[in-house]
Amino acid sequence: MVAAQQRPDGRSRIIAAARNLFASRGFHLTAMSELAAEAQVSVGQIYRLFKNKDDIILAIVEDDHREWMVQMTQVRDAAVSGRISPAEAFERLILETLSDEYETLTFEILAEAGRSAEVGARIRQFAGDFRAVLRDLACRANDRLGERDLEAVTELLMATLFGLSGRNLGDHHLDREATASEIARLIMAMLKNAES
């Protein structure tokens, strides 16, 4: 038996259960009673910790944002300090994106961001943080980029990472490592050849 201090708290269990259920059944098809059963808590406890399903989605997004920002900042700092090349930095970020086991949940959350002003605002805020890291890496790869090109490149990098999060849903021919390596190579070629 797991000691009480080692067992995840109710909030953590609810978020973990929500990840699984929202990814497999969808946000709107998951009943609070199912979520409670999966998390081994009461429906009342869910409502004591969260206002509604959107609040649970916001908690998932915040947890993911925290994790991603730690990883992205470490990769960016390693590239800025010269411990890794910009190409290696992009490859690591791409590989991390390709390793996400909750790709369907990503699409559920993005869809909810279009319906919920609060979820949409939070996603935009977090995307701004991601964009800043990608912009730094693009500058590291080509410090001659003008502002207009830098903005366009950053948008392309954002679209690439978000798009790759759904790769496992389709038919693909390269493994994750080869895909990350090839895409990083193409990104670097684009950045090095960009003229301002």
Side-chain angles (χ1 to χ4, degrees), residues 94 98 164 167 173-184:
I94 292 164
L98 294 173
L164 286 171
R167 176 181 182 260
H173 304 286
L174 294 175
D175 65 24
R176 289 178 180 157
E177 288 78 14
T179 299
S181 177
E182 286 301 306
I183 293 173

Side-chain angles (χ1 to χ4, degrees), residues 135-167:
R135 181 184 172 99
D136 288 349
L137 288 174
C139 285
R140 182 75 181 160
N142 182 348
D143 61 3
R144 298 179 323 275
L145 289 173
E147 187 60 32
R148 184 174 175 190
D149 288 341
L150 192 53
E151 285 298 316
V153 162
T154 303
E155 288 304 314
L156 180 61
L157 293 171
M158 285 288 289
T160 300
L161 286 177
F162 273 103
L164 286 171
S165 68
R167 176 181 182 260

Side-chain angles (χ1 to χ4, degrees), residues 91 93-107 110 159-184:
E91 187 171 342
L93 293 178
I94 292 164
L95 190 55
E96 187 62 37
T97 300
L98 294 173
S99 300
D100 184 6
E101 63 185 292
Y102 288 103
E103 63 269 7
T104 55
L105 180 58
T106 299
F107 292 111
L110 291 175
T160 300
L161 286 177
F162 273 103
L164 286 171
S165 68
R167 176 181 182 260
N168 292 331
L169 300 174
D171 185 26
H172 46 81
H173 304 286
L174 294 175
D175 65 24
R176 289 178 180 157
E177 288 78 14
T179 299
S181 177
E182 286 301 306
I183 293 173

Side-chain angles (χ1 to χ4, degrees), residues 9-67:
D9 65 7
R11 184 180 190 283
S12 297
R13 290 197 319 272
I14 293 164
I15 291 172
R19 278 183 193 282
N20 292 330
L21 290 171
F22 293 169
S24 63
R25 294 186 40 80
F27 177 66
H28 292 285
L29 294 178
T30 300
M32 284 299 207
S33 58
E34 292 174 300
L35 182 54
E38 179 84 9
Q40 299 177 343
V41 299
S42 68
V43 172
Q45 185 175 2
I46 293 174
Y47 282 113
R48 281 191 294 280
L49 295 169
F50 301 97
K51 295 181 293 192
N52 51 36
K53 282 187 190 176
D54 276 359
D55 207 25
I56 297 169
I57 284 185
L58 288 170
I60 291 169
V61 170
E62 287 172 8
D63 286 354
D64 289 351
H65 174 257
R66 229 181 340 271
E67 277 184 45

